[in-house]
């Protein structure tokens, strides 16, 4: 049972690792985010099935109530439902570049562009991102090529996140996904501990009889 649940958890963790690899590839990033949301949600579905097979549906329901009362977990459940049934999530993308002011210093970062993804609208989002990359690539080589320390970052943000910052509730997508995965792991561990304890209690009752 546990090897199956751990494998399902590892699947979600794999998709998270691919999100980190593809932050500079908008379409692929969206594909892996969709895969992560579905895979992470299925961890609880598999847990529910395993609990039923052990005759511990009541224990699962107790943990399910705790999960649904967690605003972060509820955010991801809603995000998965939207992605599966409606459309991709609305995300914000902050494109930044930086270079040290003096040799040996850490780079000073500057936001060069901010874009909001609303899939299904008439806004040519991916074309806009390609234009940003092409323009900044030219800029980097014409102005900063001799410096040798030019860097860039893509920072993907959820909006309306429960623990997000600012009026828009911004939260880095990668950090939020890690936060959710940690909660799912804690759920699996808690279920296993309580299930083992329940079996030990049953064994003790039988020995007393």
């Amino acid at each position: 049972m546990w090897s199956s649940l751990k494998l399902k958890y590892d699947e979600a963790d794999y998709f998270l690792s691919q999100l980190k690899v593809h932050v500079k590839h908008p379409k692929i990033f969206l594909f892996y985010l969709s895969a992560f949301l579905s895979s992470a949600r299925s961890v609880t579905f598999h847990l529910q099935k395993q609990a039923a097979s052990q005759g511990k549906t009541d224990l699962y329901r107790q943990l399910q109530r705790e999960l649904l009362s967690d605003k972060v977990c509820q955010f991801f459940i809603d995000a998965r439902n939207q992605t599966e049934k409606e459309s991709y999530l609305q995300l914000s993308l902050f494109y930044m570049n930086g270079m040290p002011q003096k040799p040996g210093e850490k780079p000073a970062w500057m936001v060069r562009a901010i874009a909001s993804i609303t899939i299904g609208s008439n806004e040519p989002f991916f074309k806009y991102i390609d234009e940003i990359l092409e323009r900044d690539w030219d800029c980097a080589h014409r102005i900063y090529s001799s410096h040798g320390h030019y860097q860039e970052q893509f920072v993907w943000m959820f909006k309306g996140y429960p623990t997000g910052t600012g009026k828009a509730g911004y939260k880095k997508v990668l950090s939020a996904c890690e936060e959710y995965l940690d909660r799912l792991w804690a759920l699996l561990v808690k279920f296993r501990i309580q299930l083992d304890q329940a079996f030990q209690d049953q064994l003790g009752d039988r020995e007393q009889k």
Side-chain angles (χ1 to χ4, degrees), residues 84-100:
E84 288 284 325
K85 302 174 184 179
E86 299 176 25
S87 65
Y88 286 99
L89 298 176
Q90 182 176 352
L91 303 176
S92 291
L93 174 60
F94 289 71
Y95 175 67
M96 303 185 295
N97 57 34
M99 59 179 294

Side-chain angles (χ1 to χ4, degrees), residues 8-194:
K8 200 62 188 175
Y9 173 89
D10 288 343
E11 177 187 301
D13 191 41
Y14 168 77
F15 289 132
L16 175 56
S17 71
Q18 292 304 303
L19 280 173
K20 296 175 181 178
V21 171
H22 293 289
V23 291
K24 295 182 180 180
H25 307 101
K27 282 187 178 180
I28 299 176
F29 187 88
L30 287 178
F31 297 159
Y32 275 117
L33 178 58
S34 177
F36 171 82
L37 293 172
S38 295
S39 182
R41 184 70 179 102
S42 69
V43 170
T44 59
F45 293 149
H46 280 245
L47 180 59
Q48 182 180 18
K49 180 70 173 180
Q50 296 293 347
S53 69
Q54 299 293 323
K56 296 298 179 182
T57 301
D58 56 338
L59 176 56
Y60 171 78
R61 287 175 178 169
Q62 174 189 338
L63 295 177
Q64 183 186 43
R65 287 192 293 270
E66 295 178 13
L67 185 74
L68 294 177
S69 66
D70 186 309
K71 292 183 179 180
V72 168
C73 294
Q74 188 61 59
F75 175 89
F76 275 94
I77 292 172
D78 293 341
R80 176 263 178 187
N81 290 339
Q82 178 180 330
T83 303
E84 288 284 325
K85 302 174 184 179
E86 299 176 25
S87 65
Y88 286 99
L89 298 176
Q90 182 176 352
L91 303 176
S92 291
L93 174 60
F94 289 71
Y95 175 67
M96 303 185 295
N97 57 34
M99 59 179 294
Q101 300 297 314
K102 297 179 181 179
E105 291 184 347
K106 293 182 178 180
W109 292 96
M110 178 177 64
V111 177
R112 292 293 302 275
I114 302 175
S116 293
I117 302 179
T118 306
I119 305 299
S121 69
N122 293 325
E123 182 181 357
F125 170 77
F126 294 110
K127 181 180 179 181
Y128 172 61
I129 293 298
D130 289 340
E131 290 174 353
I132 291 174
L133 291 174
E134 183 177 356
R135 183 174 66 246
D136 208 62
W137 178 264
D138 292 340
C139 181
H141 282 72
R142 284 189 289 105
I143 301 176
Y144 304 123
S145 58
S146 61
H147 197 282
H149 295 286
Y150 181 81
Q151 300 180 45
E152 61 180 6
Q153 285 186 5
F154 276 71
V155 181
W156 294 87
M157 296 282 195
F158 284 128
K159 296 178 69 176
Y161 195 75
T163 60
T165 59
K167 292 182 179 180
Y170 283 122
K171 177 74 174 183
K172 292 181 180 179
V173 170
L174 296 180
S175 297
C177 290
E178 289 175 343
E179 189 175 7
Y180 181 45
L181 209 55
D182 286 344
R183 280 166 161 77
L184 290 179
W185 180 251
L187 179 73
L188 293 178
V189 171
K190 190 172 184 178
F191 179 80
R192 180 167 187 174
I193 291 174
Q194 293 189 16

